[in-house]
Amino acid sequence: TREALFKLSYHRADGTNPEYDSRTLLARIAALRAEKASLFGEPDWASYTMYDRMAKTPKTALDFMEQMVPALAATQRRDAAALNQMIASEGGNYEVQPWDWYRFANKVKAERYDLDEDAVMEYFVLDKVLEDGVFYAANQLYGLTFKKRTDLPVYHPDVSVYTVYDKDGSELALFYFDPFQRPSKRGGAWMSNFVDQSHEYGTKPVIYNVLNIPKAAPGEVQLVSFDWVETTFHEFGHALHGMFADQRFESLSGTATARDFVEYPSQVNEMWATYPQVLQNYAKHYETGETIPMELVEKIQAASKFNQGYDFGEVVEAALLDMKWH
């Protein structure tokens, strides 16, 4: 079943099913991009688009990524050996395949780090993560305060709205929070604006964060994995970037920055998720109220580094392919 699901996903747009073959479209996009770059006197699309990136040139980016490949490959081989050992210990007579990877990686992770993901979730109630974690950190760092609103329209009953006040008490922004999976949403998590800040138009930012957390059954406490905790902090870092916008033109406002910089505020905000003062304010057991033990936090952090060769390898391979195409 895992193999069938993997192959259906892997081959979903490569011509195996002609109705969804995207290869011709990809080639057309690449050709048009090359043509546009040529019109501007650039040798290729990558050179044309990298003028405001830290790497500046395609060669720098390629060299940077390719120097990581040997170490990544070695890490992947080491991790694969550990998974093959786990497969053999269960009586399997085969080597790990892509569709087996996460199943056995999770088993090795649980064994190696003695980490029960379900037990971890019991310390992370979504409302507390947002209000006593994310909002608390923003208050301690920047003096922001938040007031939940029930008088403003929302586009779905699961969405909540907050007025955000600056440290001087003035209204800074509106923040919409849309946390749950539903059939009409694309996957992932993101931030954007309903209204961009602009002194030209006298507008304040109206910002939303979208997540895709599986919704608890009616009547049950909404618990979340630590991965979703980090994602909530991450996306709110983008939201802060939008809230603190102070530009004349909306085209230069908030997250309308160079691509390399746009992830900086979110990456920084993630770090506060495990900062002891913040963690102790929101990570409370949903039944006992007990604060999460630090030894469990240490296990979470150690386990989070496992399997990075596989996950980061996918990112680097895709980035290399993209850069070489362009």
Side-chain angles (χ1 to χ4, degrees):
T1 302
R2 290 195 311 277
E3 180 179 355
L5 181 62
F6 178 89
K7 286 182 173 177
L8 282 167
S9 174
Y10 189 79
H11 295 294
R12 68 189 180 275
D14 67 1
T16 305
N17 184 344
E19 185 183 353
Y20 301 112
D21 189 350
S22 65
R23 292 174 300 171
T24 305
L25 184 61
L26 287 173
R28 177 77 176 137
I29 290 169
L32 287 170
R33 285 177 170 177
E35 186 180 339
K36 181 174 180 178
S38 178
L39 289 169
F40 282 94
E42 295 289 351
D44 50 59
W45 177 258
S47 301
Y48 170 70
T49 55
M50 290 181 71
Y51 73 94
D52 65 346
R53 313 291 164 92
M54 282 189 285
K56 297 295 183 193
T57 67
K59 183 182 185 306
T60 306
L62 284 165
D63 289 348
F64 176 66
M65 290 188 282
E66 285 174 341
Q67 74 181 6
M68 299 187 224
V69 170
L72 262 173
T75 302
Q76 290 174 340
R77 283 193 292 270
R78 185 190 67 213
D79 289 349
L83 303 194
N84 287 331
Q85 194 175 347
M86 172 65 75
I87 290 168
S89 73
E90 295 188 353
N93 187 26
Y94 58 92
E95 294 205 334
V96 67
Q97 299 296 317
W99 45 87
D100 303 314
W101 192 283
Y102 278 110
R103 178 169 189 246
F104 289 101
N106 286 336
K107 288 188 175 194
V108 171
K109 183 178 177 180
E111 185 180 87
R112 188 176 292 179
Y113 299 100
D114 186 28
L115 187 67
D116 182 343
E117 302 278 5
D118 291 336
V120 168
M121 285 177 65
E122 293 178 356
Y123 290 93
F124 299 123
V125 179
L126 180 60
D127 286 348
K128 286 188 174 295
V129 170
L130 181 66
E131 296 187 354
D132 297 341
V134 173
F135 290 174
Y136 172 78
N139 172 262
Q140 295 298 296
L141 290 163
Y142 311 113
L144 302 185
T145 52
F146 302 81
K147 179 184 177 184
K148 194 166 188 176
R149 301 287 295 269
T150 55
D151 57 324
L152 296 176
V154 291
Y155 55 88
H156 190 277
D158 289 341
V159 177
S160 51
V161 194
Y162 296 82
T163 298
V164 185
Y165 297 95
D166 209 344
K167 60 184 176 183
D168 64 1
S170 62
E171 287 192 12
L172 183 68
L174 285 177
F175 174 65
Y176 282 68
F177 186 59
D178 181 358
F180 300 127
Q181 281 180 342
R182 55 180 178 271
S184 60
K185 282 168 92 168
R186 64 176 169 88
W190 63 95
M191 163 270 180
S192 193
N193 286 51
F194 288 130
V195 180
D196 293 302
Q197 177 274 333
S198 165
H199 295 307
E200 184 78 2
Y201 298 115
T203 53
K204 292 181 178 180
V206 179
I207 289 165
Y208 60 93
N209 276 171
V210 177
L211 310 177
N212 265 282
I213 296 168
K215 192 175 182 181
E220 290 188 6
V221 177
Q222 181 62 57
L223 303 175
V224 293
S225 67
F226 183 69
D227 189 49
W228 277 116
V229 171
E230 279 197 315
T231 302
T232 306
F233 273 83
H234 176 101
E235 294 306 330
F236 196 75
H238 289 304
L240 287 168
H241 192 174
M243 288 173 191
F244 289 137
D246 187 19
Q247 266 70 39
R248 178 177 174 184
F249 300 111
E250 62 182 31
S251 61
L252 300 172
S253 185
T255 55
T257 61
R259 181 75 180 171
D260 285 339
F261 181 74
V262 80
E263 288 300 321
Y264 177 77
S266 55
Q267 296 283 343
V268 168
N269 208 59
E270 269 184 41
M271 298 192 298
W272 299 110
T274 52
Y275 191 73
Q277 181 185 337
V278 177
L279 191 69
Q280 289 159 14
N281 199 62
Y282 76 89
K284 313 273 188 184
H285 194 278
Y286 79 103
E287 287 181 325
T288 67
E290 175 202 9
T291 302
I292 193 169
M294 282 313 292
E295 56 266 29
L296 185 54
V297 177
E298 287 162 9
K299 282 184 182 180
I300 293 169
Q301 291 178 318
S304 71
K305 297 176 177 65
F306 178 70
N307 206 36
Q308 288 303 302
Y310 189 81
D311 290 341
F312 186 52
E314 282 195 317
V315 173
V316 171
E317 186 173 30
L320 280 167
L321 180 68
D322 188 55
M323 186 60 74
K324 287 177 178 179
W325 260 61
H326 291 97

